Amino acid sequence: MKIGFIGLGNMGAPMAANLADAGHAVTGFDTAAKPEGLTLATSAAEAASGADVVITMLPNGDILRAVADQVIPAMTPGAVLLDCSTVDVASARDVAAQAADHGNQMLDAPVSGGIGGAQAGTLTFMVGGQEDAFATAKPLFDIMGQKAVHCGPAGNGQAAKICNNMILGITMIGTCEAFALADKLGLDRQAMFDVVSTSSGYSWTMNAYCPAPGVGPTSPADNDYKPGFAAALMLKDLRLSQQAAEGADADTPLGQAATELYAQFVEAEDQGHMDFSAMLPRFEKRGRG
Ligand code: NAD
């Protein structure tokens, strides 16, 4: 396929490289990044022109809207716009409507799996949009990832992503505060892990991504809490979940509390550099006051 790829940052560059390595004709564009080994265009519109699929991997919904304004008029009618960024549900739905007005289908397909997954081609895609566009993009999902779940109409991929990550943020905080309490009660961390990982308190954050160094499988905790999944990205996704909850009149008290805790952590304490599991050393240092 002829693919335009816009947004060649930490995630986009390796995803574009995997598509090119698999034999697709990829033309990339980024306002700043100029990764080696990819054919680059001089504008987003140039990258999109004549492409069968235009992929975007951008920082947020406002930038997606701005890029869509440039790209959609340049797209061949019938071509698919595939946005893999994590953005707000409203932007995903608005850009899908804009694409439809021009005779193009759009898929919102945010990912989980991080930079390692982008490099290894093992991402999971959560996809909103029409069935036939999903079928067109499926061979590309198979190269860039290991799983693609069609979640329903436009915006539902973003909805699935923020609901998942809201659970993840809340669960990580719960796991970390329980470890910090266990410390203060004199309970050994290994014993805590052995019990909880096989009891009803188990979770992905405990069993697969344990925030306590030296306990459980290797995780960012064993590497001085270098990300991994940065707390700043968790904060972004939690904020998107609360924006969506406000728009949909959904009561999400724990999602709101998790957003406030990560905001305080990222903005006042870790300066955005640490993994989201570094909530454990944060709680460790604190008392109730
Ligand atoms: P990044 O900041 O490394 O890359 C974004 C790229 O977009 C940058 O290179 C930037 O120059 C480019 N860009 C900005 N404005 C542009 C414009 N108008 N036209 C063209 N290019 C433009 O970010 P990333 O880590 O690659 O993340 C991309 C998206 O993936 C985000 O939405 C993020 O939330 C999501 N995501 C990231 C991770 C991760 O671990 N990094 C995991 C899952 C999802």
Side-chain angles (χ1 to χ4, degrees), residues 6-13 29-33 44 57-60 63 66-67 70 84-87 110-115 123 161 228-230 233 236-237:
I6 298 157
L8 302 169
N10 290 318
M11 297 289 291
F29 175 72
D30 191 295
T31 44
M57 193 51 167
L58 297 163
N60 59 48
I63 293 177
V67 168
Q70 299 161 26
C84 298
S85 330
T86 304
V87 304
V111 303
S112 75
I115 298 166
L123 295 168
K161 163 97 186 176
F229 184 48
L233 284 175
K236 172 189 171 181
D237 294 355

Side-chain angles (χ1 to χ4, degrees), residues 75-280:
M75 283 175 67
T76 312
V80 172
L81 176 59
L82 171 57
D83 178 45
C84 298
S85 330
T86 304
V87 304
D88 57 290
V89 175
S91 291
R93 291 189 172 148
D94 289 350
V95 173
Q98 189 183 349
D101 286 345
H102 189 262
N104 299 106
Q105 291 184 337
M106 181 197 173
L107 297 171
D108 52 292
V111 303
S112 75
I115 298 166
Q119 288 166 342
T122 56
L123 295 168
T124 295
F125 291 86
M126 295 148 255
V127 190
Q130 282 166 287
E131 192 72 57
D132 50 339
F134 181 78
T136 302
K138 183 74 173 53
L140 308 183
F141 293 140
D142 290 342
I143 293 164
M144 297 185 286
Q146 61 187 1
K147 192 169 178 192
V149 181
H150 189 213
C151 301
N156 281 23
Q158 299 296 348
K161 163 97 186 176
I162 57 174
C163 288
N164 180 74
N165 281 15
M166 187 173 81
I167 296 171
L168 178 62
I170 292 168
T171 314
M172 179 57 85
I173 289 170
T175 303
C176 292
E177 66 182 32
F179 261 119
L181 172 62
D183 288 347
K184 293 198 176 182
L185 297 175
L187 175 60
D188 175 68
R189 285 183 171 181
Q190 185 64 50
M192 166 84 173
F193 176 83
D194 291 344
V195 171
V196 176
S197 65
T198 55
S199 300
S200 47
Y202 84 94
S203 64
W204 185 84
T205 58
M206 175 61 81
N207 291 38
Y209 203 94
C210 183
V215 176
T218 303
S219 68
D222 300 305
N223 190 25
D224 291 329
Y225 295 98
K226 292 195 185 77
F229 184 48
L233 284 175
M234 173 51 80
L235 175 59
K236 172 189 171 181
D237 294 355
L238 283 168
R239 283 186 165 143
L240 289 174
S241 76
Q242 295 316 290
Q243 190 181 339
E246 269 171 38
D249 190 28
D251 188 21
T252 55
L254 289 181
Q256 191 179 331
T259 307
E260 285 162 14
L261 275 169
Y262 272 107
Q264 190 181 343
F265 181 59
V266 169
E267 287 162 6
E269 297 165 14
D270 103 306
Q271 278 98 42
H273 299 314
M274 293 176 94
D275 187 74
F276 83 119
S277 60
M279 273 285 164
L280 175 53

